Coordinates of all heavy atoms in Angstrom, one line a residue:
M1 N 75.2 -17.1 -1.0 CA 75.7 -16.6 0.3 C 74.7 -15.7 0.9 O 74.4 -14.6 0.5 CB 77.0 -15.8 -0.1 CG 77.6 -15.0 1.1 SD 78.1 -16.1 2.5 CE 78.4 -14.8 3.7
S2 N 74.0 -16.2 1.9 CA 73.0 -15.5 2.5 C 73.2 -15.2 4.0 O 72.3 -14.8 4.7 CB 71.6 -16.2 2.3 OG 71.7 -17.5 2.8
D3 N 74.4 -15.5 4.5 CA 74.7 -15.2 5.9 C 75.6 -14.0 6.0 O 76.4 -13.7 5.2 CB 75.6 -16.4 6.5 CG 74.7 -17.6 6.8 OD1 73.5 -17.5 6.6 OD2 75.3 -18.6 7.2
I4 N 75.3 -13.2 7.1 CA 76.1 -12.1 7.3 C 76.8 -12.3 8.7 O 76.4 -13.2 9.5 CB 75.3 -10.8 7.4 CG1 74.2 -10.8 8.5 CG2 74.7 -10.4 6.0 CD1 73.6 -9.5 8.7
T5 N 77.9 -11.6 8.9 CA 78.6 -11.7 10.2 C 78.2 -10.5 11.1 O 78.2 -9.3 10.7 CB 80.1 -11.6 9.9 OG1 80.4 -12.7 9.0 CG2 80.9 -11.8 11.2
I6 N 77.9 -10.8 12.3 CA 77.6 -9.8 13.3 C 78.5 -10.0 14.5 O 78.7 -11.1 15.0 CB 76.1 -9.9 13.7 CG1 75.2 -9.7 12.5 CG2 75.8 -8.8 14.8 CD1 73.8 -9.8 12.8
K7 N 79.0 -8.9 15.1 CA 79.8 -9.0 16.3 C 79.0 -8.5 17.5 O 78.5 -7.4 17.5 CB 81.1 -8.2 16.2 CG 82.2 -8.8 15.4 CD 83.4 -8.0 15.4 CE 84.5 -8.5 14.5 NZ 85.6 -7.6 14.3
I8 N 78.8 -9.4 18.5 CA 78.0 -9.1 19.6 C 78.8 -9.1 20.9 O 79.4 -10.2 21.2 CB 76.8 -10.1 19.7 CG1 76.0 -10.1 18.4 CG2 75.9 -9.7 20.9 CD1 75.0 -11.3 18.3
K9 N 78.9 -8.0 21.5 CA 79.7 -8.0 22.8 C 78.7 -8.3 23.9 O 77.7 -7.6 24.1 CB 80.3 -6.6 23.0 CG 81.3 -6.5 24.1 CD 81.6 -5.0 24.4 CE 83.0 -4.6 24.1 NZ 83.3 -3.3 24.6
D10 N 79.0 -9.3 24.7 CA 78.1 -9.6 25.8 C 78.4 -8.8 27.0 O 79.2 -7.9 27.0 CB 78.2 -11.1 26.1 CG 79.5 -11.5 26.7 OD1 80.3 -10.7 27.3 OD2 79.9 -12.8 26.7
R11 N 77.7 -9.0 28.1 CA 77.8 -8.1 29.3 C 79.1 -8.3 30.1 O 79.3 -7.6 31.0 CB 76.5 -8.3 30.2 CG 75.3 -8.0 29.4 CD 74.0 -8.0 30.3 NE 72.9 -7.8 29.5 CZ 72.0 -8.7 29.1 NH1 72.2 -10.0 29.5 NH2 71.0 -8.4 28.4
E12 N 79.8 -9.3 29.7 CA 81.1 -9.5 30.3 C 82.2 -8.9 29.5 O 83.4 -9.0 29.8 CB 81.5 -11.0 30.5 CG 81.0 -11.6 31.9 CD 79.5 -11.8 31.9 OE1 79.0 -12.5 31.0 OE2 78.8 -11.2 32.7
G13 N 81.8 -8.3 28.4 CA 82.8 -7.7 27.5 C 83.4 -8.7 26.4 O 84.3 -8.3 25.7
E14 N 82.9 -9.9 26.4 CA 83.4 -10.8 25.4 C 82.7 -10.6 24.1 O 81.5 -10.4 24.1 CB 83.1 -12.3 26.0 CG 83.9 -13.3 25.2 CD 83.7 -14.7 25.7 OE1 83.5 -14.9 26.9 OE2 83.6 -15.6 24.8
I15 N 83.5 -10.7 23.0 CA 82.9 -10.4 21.7 C 82.6 -11.8 21.0 O 83.5 -12.6 20.9 CB 83.8 -9.5 20.9 CG1 83.9 -8.1 21.5 CG2 83.3 -9.4 19.4 CD1 84.9 -7.2 20.9
H16 N 81.4 -11.9 20.6 CA 81.0 -13.1 19.8 C 80.8 -12.8 18.4 O 79.9 -11.9 18.1 CB 79.7 -13.7 20.4 CG 79.8 -14.0 21.9 ND1 80.0 -15.2 22.4 CD2 79.7 -13.1 22.9 CE1 80.0 -15.1 23.7 NE2 79.8 -13.9 24.1
E17 N 81.5 -13.4 17.5 CA 81.3 -13.2 16.1 C 80.4 -14.3 15.6 O 80.8 -15.5 15.6 CB 82.7 -13.2 15.4 CG 82.6 -12.6 14.0 CD 83.9 -12.4 13.4 OE1 84.8 -11.7 14.0 OE2 84.1 -12.9 12.3
V18 N 79.2 -13.9 15.1 CA 78.2 -14.9 14.8 C 77.8 -14.8 13.3 O 77.9 -13.7 12.8 CB 77.0 -14.9 15.7 CG1 77.4 -15.0 17.2 CG2 76.2 -13.6 15.5
L19 N 77.3 -15.8 12.7 CA 76.8 -15.8 11.4 C 75.2 -15.7 11.5 O 74.7 -16.5 12.3 CB 77.2 -17.1 10.6 CG 78.6 -17.1 10.1 CD1 78.8 -18.5 9.4 CD2 78.9 -16.0 9.2
A20 N 74.6 -14.8 10.7 CA 73.2 -14.7 10.8 C 72.6 -14.8 9.4 O 73.1 -14.2 8.5 CB 72.8 -13.4 11.4
P21 N 71.6 -15.6 9.2 CA 71.0 -15.8 7.9 C 70.1 -14.6 7.5 O 69.4 -14.1 8.4 CB 70.1 -17.1 8.0 CG 69.8 -17.1 9.5 CD 70.9 -16.5 10.2
T22 N 70.2 -14.2 6.3 CA 69.4 -13.0 5.9 C 68.1 -13.5 5.2 O 67.2 -12.7 4.9 CB 70.1 -12.2 4.8 OG1 70.5 -13.0 3.7 CG2 71.3 -11.5 5.4
D23 N 67.9 -14.8 5.0 CA 66.8 -15.3 4.3 C 65.8 -16.1 5.2 O 65.0 -16.9 4.7 CB 67.2 -16.2 3.1 CG 68.1 -17.3 3.6 OD1 68.4 -17.4 4.8 OD2 68.6 -18.1 2.7
M24 N 65.8 -15.9 6.5 CA 64.9 -16.6 7.4 C 64.1 -15.7 8.2 O 63.5 -16.1 9.2 CB 65.8 -17.5 8.3 CG 66.3 -18.7 7.6 SD 67.3 -19.8 8.7 CE 66.0 -20.3 9.8
A25 N 64.0 -14.4 7.8 CA 63.1 -13.4 8.5 C 63.4 -13.4 10.0 O 62.5 -13.3 10.8 CB 61.6 -13.7 8.2
M26 N 64.7 -13.4 10.3 CA 65.1 -13.3 11.7 C 65.4 -11.9 12.1 O 65.7 -11.1 11.2 CB 66.3 -14.2 12.0 CG 66.0 -15.7 12.0 SD 67.5 -16.6 12.4 CE 67.5 -16.7 14.1
N27 N 65.3 -11.6 13.4 CA 65.8 -10.3 13.8 C 67.0 -10.5 14.8 O 67.3 -11.6 15.1 CB 64.6 -9.5 14.5 CG 64.1 -10.2 15.7 OD1 64.8 -10.6 16.6 ND2 62.7 -10.4 15.7
L28 N 67.6 -9.4 15.2 CA 68.8 -9.5 16.0 C 68.5 -10.2 17.3 O 69.4 -10.9 17.8 CB 69.3 -8.1 16.2 CG 70.7 -8.0 16.9 CD1 71.8 -8.8 16.2 CD2 71.1 -6.5 17.0
M29 N 67.4 -10.0 17.9 CA 67.1 -10.6 19.2 C 67.1 -12.1 19.0 O 67.6 -12.9 19.8 CB 65.7 -10.1 19.7 CG 65.2 -10.8 21.0 SD 64.2 -12.3 20.7 CE 62.7 -11.6 20.1
E30 N 66.4 -12.6 17.9 CA 66.4 -14.0 17.7 C 67.7 -14.6 17.4 O 68.0 -15.8 17.8 CB 65.4 -14.3 16.5 CG 64.0 -14.0 16.9 CD 63.0 -13.9 15.7 OE1 63.5 -13.6 14.5 OE2 61.8 -14.1 15.8
V31 N 68.6 -13.9 16.7 CA 70.0 -14.3 16.5 C 70.7 -14.5 17.8 O 71.3 -15.5 18.0 CB 70.7 -13.4 15.5 CG1 72.2 -13.7 15.4 CG2 70.1 -13.4 14.1
C32 N 70.6 -13.5 18.7 CA 71.2 -13.6 20.0 C 70.8 -14.9 20.7 O 71.5 -15.6 21.3 CB 70.9 -12.4 20.8 SG 71.7 -10.9 20.3
K33 N 69.5 -15.1 20.7 CA 68.9 -16.3 21.4 C 69.4 -17.6 20.7 O 69.7 -18.5 21.4 CB 67.4 -16.2 21.4 CG 66.9 -15.2 22.4 CD 65.3 -15.2 22.4 CE 64.7 -16.4 23.1 NZ 64.4 -16.1 24.5
A34 N 69.5 -17.6 19.4 CA 69.9 -18.8 18.7 C 71.3 -19.1 19.1 O 71.7 -20.3 19.1 CB 69.8 -18.5 17.2
Y35 N 72.2 -18.1 19.4 CA 73.5 -18.4 19.9 C 73.6 -18.4 21.4 O 74.7 -18.4 21.9 CB 74.5 -17.3 19.3 CG 74.8 -17.6 17.8 CD1 74.0 -16.9 16.8 CD2 75.7 -18.5 17.4 CE1 74.3 -17.2 15.5 CE2 76.0 -18.8 16.1 CZ 75.3 -18.1 15.1 OH 75.5 -18.3 13.8
E36 N 72.5 -18.5 22.1 CA 72.5 -18.6 23.5 C 73.2 -17.5 24.2 O 73.8 -17.7 25.3 CB 73.0 -20.0 24.0 CG 72.1 -21.1 23.4 CD 72.5 -22.5 23.9 OE1 73.5 -22.6 24.5 OE2 71.6 -23.4 23.7
L37 N 73.1 -16.3 23.6 CA 73.5 -15.1 24.3 C 72.4 -14.7 25.3 O 71.3 -15.0 25.1 CB 73.9 -14.0 23.3 CG 75.1 -14.3 22.5 CD1 75.2 -13.4 21.3 CD2 76.4 -14.2 23.4
P38 N 72.8 -14.1 26.4 CA 71.8 -13.8 27.5 C 70.8 -12.7 27.2 O 70.8 -11.6 27.8 CB 72.7 -13.4 28.7 CG 73.9 -12.8 28.0 CD 74.1 -13.5 26.7
V39 N 70.0 -13.0 26.2 CA 69.0 -12.0 25.8 C 67.6 -12.7 26.0 O 67.4 -13.8 25.4 CB 69.1 -11.6 24.3 CG1 67.9 -10.8 23.8 CG2 70.4 -10.8 24.1
E40 N 66.8 -12.1 26.8 CA 65.5 -12.8 27.2 C 64.5 -12.8 26.1 O 63.9 -13.8 25.8 CB 64.9 -12.1 28.5 CG 65.7 -12.4 29.7 CD 65.6 -13.8 30.2 OE1 64.6 -14.5 29.9 OE2 66.6 -14.3 30.8
G41 N 64.3 -11.6 25.5 CA 63.3 -11.6 24.5 C 61.9 -11.9 25.0 O 61.1 -12.5 24.4
T42 N 61.6 -11.4 26.2 CA 60.5 -11.8 27.0 C 59.1 -11.6 26.3 O 58.2 -12.4 26.4 CB 60.4 -10.9 28.3 OG1 61.7 -10.9 28.9 CG2 59.4 -11.5 29.3
C43 N 59.1 -10.5 25.5 CA 57.8 -10.2 24.8 C 57.7 -10.9 23.5 O 56.7 -10.7 22.8 CB 57.6 -8.7 24.7 SG 58.6 -8.0 23.4
G44 N 58.7 -11.6 23.1 CA 58.6 -12.4 21.8 C 58.8 -11.5 20.6 O 58.5 -11.9 19.5
G45 N 59.4 -10.3 20.9 CA 59.7 -9.5 19.7 C 58.7 -8.4 19.4 O 58.6 -7.9 18.2
M46 N 57.9 -8.1 20.4 CA 56.8 -7.1 20.1 C 57.1 -5.7 20.5 O 56.3 -4.8 20.6 CB 55.5 -7.5 21.0 CG 55.1 -8.9 20.7 SD 54.3 -9.1 19.1 CE 52.8 -8.2 19.4
A47 N 58.4 -5.4 20.8 CA 58.9 -4.1 21.3 C 58.2 -3.7 22.6 O 57.8 -2.5 22.8 CB 58.7 -3.0 20.2
M48 N 57.9 -4.7 23.4 CA 57.2 -4.4 24.7 C 57.9 -4.7 26.0 O 57.4 -4.7 27.0 CB 55.9 -5.1 24.7 CG 54.9 -4.4 23.7 SD 53.4 -5.4 23.5 CE 52.7 -5.5 25.1
C49 N 59.2 -5.1 25.9 CA 59.9 -5.5 27.1 C 61.3 -4.9 27.3 O 61.8 -4.8 28.4 CB 60.0 -7.0 27.2 SG 61.2 -7.8 26.1
A50 N 61.9 -4.5 26.2 CA 63.3 -3.9 26.2 C 64.4 -4.9 26.7 O 65.5 -4.5 26.9 CB 63.3 -2.6 27.0
S51 N 64.0 -6.2 26.9 CA 65.1 -7.1 27.3 C 66.1 -7.4 26.2 O 67.1 -8.0 26.4 CB 64.5 -8.4 27.8 OG 63.9 -9.1 26.7
C52 N 65.8 -7.0 25.0 CA 66.7 -7.2 23.8 C 67.4 -5.9 23.5 O 68.0 -5.8 22.4 CB 65.9 -7.6 22.6 SG 64.7 -6.4 22.1
Q53 N 67.4 -4.9 24.4 CA 68.1 -3.7 24.1 C 69.6 -3.9 23.9 O 70.3 -4.6 24.6 CB 67.9 -2.7 25.3 CG 68.5 -1.3 25.0 CD 68.7 -0.4 26.2 OE1 69.3 0.6 26.1 NE2 68.1 -0.7 27.3
C54 N 70.1 -3.2 22.8 CA 71.5 -3.3 22.6 C 72.0 -1.9 22.1 O 71.2 -1.1 21.8 CB 71.9 -4.4 21.6 SG 71.0 -4.2 20.0
Y55 N 73.3 -1.7 22.2 CA 73.9 -0.5 21.8 C 74.6 -0.8 20.4 O 75.3 -1.8 20.3 CB 75.0 0.0 22.8 CG 74.5 0.1 24.2 CD1 75.1 -0.5 25.2 CD2 73.3 0.9 24.4 CE1 74.6 -0.3 26.5 CE2 72.8 1.1 25.7 CZ 73.5 0.4 26.8 OH 73.0 0.6 28.0
V56 N 74.3 0.0 19.5 CA 74.9 -0.2 18.1 C 76.2 0.5 18.1 O 76.3 1.8 18.3 CB 73.9 0.4 17.0 CG1 74.5 0.2 15.7 CG2 72.6 -0.3 17.1
L57 N 77.3 -0.2 17.9 CA 78.7 0.3 17.9 C 79.2 0.7 16.6 O 80.0 1.6 16.4 CB 79.6 -0.7 18.6 CG 79.2 -1.2 19.9 CD1 80.2 -2.3 20.4 CD2 79.1 -0.1 21.0
S58 N 78.8 0.0 15.5 CA 79.3 0.4 14.2 C 78.3 1.4 13.5 O 77.2 1.6 14.0 CB 79.3 -0.9 13.3 OG 78.1 -1.6 13.3
D59 N 78.8 2.0 12.4 CA 77.9 3.1 11.9 C 77.1 2.5 10.7 O 76.9 3.2 9.7 CB 78.7 4.3 11.5 CG 79.8 4.0 10.6 OD1 79.9 2.8 10.1 OD2 80.6 4.9 10.3
H60 N 76.4 1.4 10.9 CA 75.5 0.9 9.9 C 74.2 1.7 9.8 O 73.8 2.2 10.8 CB 75.2 -0.6 10.2 CG 76.3 -1.5 9.8 ND1 77.5 -1.6 10.6 CD2 76.4 -2.4 8.8 CE1 78.3 -2.5 10.0 NE2 77.7 -3.0 8.9
Q61 N 73.7 1.7 8.6 CA 72.4 2.4 8.4 C 71.3 1.4 8.8 O 71.1 0.4 8.1 CB 72.2 2.8 7.0 CG 71.1 3.7 6.7 CD 71.4 5.1 7.2 OE1 72.5 5.6 7.1 NE2 70.4 5.7 7.9
L62 N 70.7 1.6 10.0 CA 69.7 0.7 10.5 C 68.3 1.2 10.1 O 68.1 2.4 9.8 CB 69.7 0.6 12.0 CG 71.0 0.0 12.5 CD1 71.0 0.0 14.0 CD2 71.2 -1.4 12.0
P63 N 67.3 0.3 10.0 CA 65.9 0.7 9.7 C 65.5 1.8 10.8 O 65.9 1.6 11.9 CB 65.1 -0.5 9.8 CG 66.0 -1.5 10.4 CD 67.4 -1.1 10.2
E64 N 64.7 2.7 10.3 CA 64.3 3.8 11.3 C 63.5 3.2 12.4 O 62.8 2.2 12.2 CB 63.5 4.8 10.5 CG 64.0 6.2 10.8 CD 63.4 7.2 9.8 OE1 63.9 7.2 8.7 OE2 62.4 7.9 10.2
M65 N 63.5 3.8 13.5 CA 62.8 3.4 14.7 C 61.3 3.6 14.5 O 60.9 4.6 14.1 CB 63.3 4.2 15.9 CG 63.5 3.4 17.1 SD 63.9 4.4 18.5 CE 65.7 4.2 18.5
G66 N 60.6 2.5 14.8 CA 59.1 2.7 14.7 C 58.6 3.3 16.0 O 59.4 3.4 17.0
Q67 N 57.3 3.6 16.1 CA 56.8 4.3 17.2 C 56.8 3.4 18.5 O 57.1 3.8 19.6 CB 55.3 4.7 16.9 CG 54.8 5.7 17.9 CD 53.3 6.0 17.7 OE1 52.6 5.2 17.0 NE2 52.9 7.0 18.4
D68 N 56.6 2.1 18.3 CA 56.6 1.1 19.4 C 58.0 1.1 20.1 O 58.1 1.1 21.3 CB 56.2 -0.3 19.0 CG 54.7 -0.3 18.5 OD1 54.0 0.6 18.8 OD2 54.4 -1.3 17.9
E69 N 59.0 1.0 19.2 CA 60.3 0.9 19.7 C 60.7 2.2 20.4 O 61.3 2.2 21.5 CB 61.3 0.7 18.6 CG 62.8 0.5 19.0 CD 63.7 0.2 17.9 OE1 63.3 0.1 16.7 OE2 64.9 -0.1 18.2
D70 N 60.4 3.3 19.8 CA 60.6 4.6 20.4 C 60.0 4.8 21.8 O 60.7 5.2 22.8 CB 60.1 5.7 19.4 CG 60.7 7.0 19.6 OD1 61.8 7.1 20.2 OD2 60.2 8.0 19.1
L71 N 58.8 4.4 21.9 CA 58.0 4.5 23.2 C 58.6 3.5 24.2 O 58.8 3.9 25.4 CB 56.6 4.1 23.0 CG 55.7 5.2 22.2 CD1 54.3 4.7 22.0 CD2 55.7 6.5 23.0
M72 N 59.0 2.3 23.8 CA 59.6 1.4 24.8 C 60.9 1.9 25.3 O 61.2 1.8 26.5 CB 59.7 0.0 24.0 CG 60.2 -1.1 25.0 SD 58.9 -1.5 26.3 CE 59.8 -1.1 27.8
L73 N 61.7 2.4 24.4 CA 63.0 2.9 24.8 C 62.9 4.1 25.7 O 63.8 4.4 26.5 CB 63.9 3.2 23.6 CG 64.5 1.9 22.9 CD1 65.3 2.3 21.7 CD2 65.5 1.2 23.9
A74 N 61.8 4.9 25.6 CA 61.6 6.0 26.4 C 61.4 5.6 27.9 O 61.6 6.4 28.8 CB 60.4 6.8 25.9
E75 N 60.9 4.3 28.1 CA 60.7 3.8 29.4 C 61.7 2.9 30.0 O 61.7 2.6 31.1 CB 59.4 3.0 29.4 CG 58.1 3.8 29.2 CD 56.9 2.9 29.1 OE1 57.0 1.7 29.6 OE2 55.9 3.3 28.6
A76 N 62.6 2.5 29.1 CA 63.6 1.4 29.5 C 64.7 2.0 30.3 O 64.9 3.3 30.3 CB 64.1 0.7 28.3
F77 N 65.5 1.2 31.0 CA 66.7 1.6 31.7 C 67.9 1.6 30.9 O 67.9 0.8 29.9 CB 66.9 0.7 32.9 CG 65.8 0.8 33.9 CD1 64.8 -0.2 34.0 CD2 65.7 1.8 34.8 CE1 63.8 -0.2 34.9 CE2 64.7 1.9 35.8 CZ 63.7 0.9 35.8
Y78 N 68.9 2.3 31.3 CA 70.3 2.2 30.6 C 70.2 2.6 29.1 O 71.0 2.2 28.3 CB 70.9 0.8 30.7 CG 70.9 0.3 32.1 CD1 70.2 -0.8 32.4 CD2 71.7 0.8 33.1 CE1 70.2 -1.4 33.7 CE2 71.7 0.3 34.4 CZ 71.0 -0.8 34.7 OH 71.0 -1.3 35.9
V79 N 69.3 3.5 28.8 CA 69.1 3.8 27.4 C 70.2 4.9 27.0 O 70.4 5.9 27.7 CB 67.7 4.4 27.1 CG1 67.6 4.9 25.7 CG2 66.7 3.3 27.3
E80 N 70.9 4.6 25.9 CA 71.9 5.6 25.4 C 71.4 6.0 24.0 O 70.5 5.5 23.4 CB 73.2 4.9 25.3 CG 73.7 4.2 26.5 CD 74.3 5.2 27.5 OE1 74.5 6.4 27.1 OE2 74.6 4.8 28.7
D81 N 72.2 7.0 23.4 CA 71.8 7.5 22.1 C 71.8 6.4 21.1 O 71.1 6.5 20.1 CB 72.8 8.6 21.7 CG 72.6 9.9 22.5 OD1 71.5 10.0 23.1 OD2 73.4 10.8 22.4
N82 N 72.7 5.4 21.3 CA 72.8 4.4 20.3 C 72.0 3.1 20.6 O 72.2 2.0 20.1 CB 74.2 4.0 20.0 CG 75.0 3.6 21.2 OD1 74.5 3.7 22.3 ND2 76.2 3.0 21.0
S83 N 71.0 3.3 21.5 CA 70.2 2.1 21.9 C 69.2 1.7 20.8 O 68.6 2.6 20.2 CB 69.4 2.4 23.2 OG 70.2 2.4 24.3
R84 N 69.1 0.5 20.6 CA 68.0 -0.1 19.8 C 67.5 -1.3 20.4 O 68.1 -2.0 21.2 CB 68.5 -0.4 18.4 CG 69.0 0.8 17.5 CD 67.8 1.7 17.2 NE 66.7 1.1 16.5 CZ 66.5 1.2 15.1 NH1 67.4 2.0 14.4 NH2 65.5 0.7 14.6
L85 N 66.3 -1.7 20.0 CA 65.7 -3.0 20.4 C 66.1 -4.0 19.3 O 65.7 -3.9 18.2 CB 64.2 -2.9 20.6 CG 63.7 -2.0 21.7 CD1 62.2 -2.0 21.7 CD2 64.2 -2.4 23.0
G86 N 66.8 -5.1 19.8 CA 67.2 -6.1 18.8 C 66.1 -6.7 18.0 O 66.3 -7.0 16.8
C87 N 65.0 -6.8 18.6 CA 63.8 -7.5 17.9 C 63.3 -6.6 16.8 O 62.5 -7.1 16.0 CB 62.7 -7.9 18.9 SG 61.9 -6.5 19.6
Q88 N 63.6 -5.4 16.8 CA 63.1 -4.5 15.8 C 64.2 -4.3 14.6 O 64.0 -3.4 13.8 CB 62.7 -3.1 16.4 CG 61.7 -3.2 17.5 CD 60.4 -3.9 17.0 OE1 59.8 -3.4 16.1 NE2 60.0 -5.0 17.6
I89 N 65.2 -5.1 14.7 CA 66.2 -5.0 13.6 C 66.3 -6.3 12.8 O 66.8 -7.3 13.2 CB 67.6 -4.7 14.3 CG1 67.5 -3.4 15.0 CG2 68.7 -4.6 13.2 CD1 68.8 -3.0 15.7
P90 N 65.6 -6.2 11.6 CA 65.6 -7.4 10.8 C 67.1 -7.7 10.2 O 67.8 -6.7 10.0 CB 64.7 -7.1 9.7 CG 64.2 -5.7 9.9 CD 64.9 -5.1 11.0
I91 N 67.4 -8.9 10.1 CA 68.7 -9.3 9.5 C 68.7 -9.2 8.0 O 68.0 -9.9 7.3 CB 69.1 -10.7 9.9 CG1 69.1 -10.9 11.5 CG2 70.4 -11.1 9.4 CD1 70.0 -10.0 12.2
T92 N 69.4 -8.2 7.5 CA 69.4 -8.0 6.1 C 70.9 -7.9 5.6 O 71.8 -7.7 6.4 CB 68.8 -6.6 5.7 OG1 69.5 -5.6 6.4 CG2 67.3 -6.6 6.1
P93 N 71.1 -8.1 4.3 CA 72.5 -8.2 3.8 C 73.3 -6.9 4.1 O 74.5 -6.9 4.3 CB 72.3 -8.3 2.3 CG 71.0 -9.0 2.1 CD 70.2 -8.5 3.2
E94 N 72.5 -5.7 4.2 CA 73.2 -4.4 4.5 C 73.9 -4.4 5.9 O 74.7 -3.6 6.2 CB 72.2 -3.3 4.5 CG 71.6 -3.0 3.1 CD 70.6 -4.0 2.6 OE1 69.8 -4.5 3.5 OE2 70.6 -4.4 1.4
L95 N 73.4 -5.3 6.8 CA 73.9 -5.3 8.1 C 75.2 -6.1 8.3 O 75.7 -6.3 9.4 CB 72.9 -5.8 9.1 CG 71.6 -4.9 9.2 CD1 70.8 -5.3 10.4 CD2 72.0 -3.4 9.3
D96 N 75.8 -6.6 7.2 CA 77.0 -7.4 7.3 C 78.1 -6.6 8.1 O 78.3 -5.4 7.7 CB 77.5 -7.8 5.9 CG 78.6 -8.8 6.0 OD1 78.6 -9.6 7.0 OD2 79.5 -8.8 5.1
G97 N 78.7 -7.2 9.1 CA 79.7 -6.5 9.8 C 79.2 -5.7 11.0 O 80.0 -5.0 11.7
L98 N 77.9 -5.7 11.2 CA 77.3 -4.9 12.3 C 78.0 -5.3 13.7 O 78.3 -6.5 13.9 CB 75.8 -5.3 12.4 CG 75.0 -4.6 13.5 CD1 74.8 -3.1 13.1 CD2 73.6 -5.2 13.6
E99 N 78.2 -4.3 14.5 CA 78.7 -4.5 15.8 C 77.8 -3.9 16.9 O 77.4 -2.8 16.8 CB 80.1 -3.8 16.0 CG 81.1 -4.5 15.1 CD 82.5 -3.8 15.1 OE1 82.8 -3.2 16.2 OE2 83.2 -3.7 14.1
V100 N 77.4 -4.8 17.8 CA 76.5 -4.3 18.9 C 77.0 -4.8 20.2 O 77.8 -5.7 20.3 CB 75.0 -4.8 18.6 CG1 74.4 -4.3 17.3 CG2 74.9 -6.3 18.7
E101 N 76.5 -4.2 21.2 CA 76.8 -4.6 22.6 C 75.5 -4.8 23.4 O 74.6 -3.9 23.2 CB 77.6 -3.5 23.2 CG 77.9 -3.7 24.7 CD 78.8 -2.6 25.3 OE1 79.2 -1.6 24.5 OE2 79.1 -2.6 26.5
L102 N 75.4 -5.8 24.1 CA 74.1 -6.0 24.9 C 74.0 -5.0 26.0 O 75.0 -4.8 26.8 CB 74.1 -7.4 25.5 CG 74.2 -8.6 24.5 CD1 74.1 -9.9 25.2 CD2 73.1 -8.5 23.4
A103 N 72.9 -4.4 26.2 CA 72.7 -3.4 27.3 C 72.6 -4.2 28.6 O 72.2 -5.4 28.5 CB 71.4 -2.6 27.0
P104 N 72.9 -3.6 29.7 CA 72.7 -4.3 31.0 C 71.3 -4.8 31.2 O 70.4 -4.2 30.7 CB 73.1 -3.3 32.0 CG 73.8 -2.2 31.3 CD 73.3 -2.2 29.9
E105 N 71.1 -5.8 32.0 CA 69.8 -6.3 32.3 C 69.1 -5.3 33.2 O 69.8 -4.8 34.2 CB 69.9 -7.7 33.0 CG 69.7 -8.8 32.0 CD 70.0 -10.2 32.8 OE1 71.0 -10.3 33.4 OE2 69.1 -11.0 32.7
S106 N 67.9 -5.1 33.0 CA 67.2 -4.1 33.9 C 66.3 -4.9 34.8 O 66.0 -6.0 34.7 CB 66.5 -3.1 33.2 OG 65.7 -3.6 32.1
Ligands
FES1 S1 62.0 -8.8 22.7 FE1 60.8 -7.5 23.9 S2 61.3 -5.6 23.2 FE2 62.5 -6.9 21.9

């Protein structure tokens, strides 16, 4: 069993419950794209565009923010205390049940 369940609320408020593999080195941005959720991922996951910004709604322990992510979020729009860049969140078994909401497009 290497899939976890993630709930992703889109910008219309609709919640998508998706299965994400933990053994394919995917990140949250890639999972969103795989399910055709409206996440651009313009920079390809380099923490350089913020198009994958999401708000973390559940209280999961996420990997600490790296400097690139921190700097990008300092420049991005609609940033909240619970903002993270989806591309900087690797899919791991610990994230089972994670709930996130897509940030507005900037
Ligand atoms: S895909 Fe560009 S910052 Fe995440």
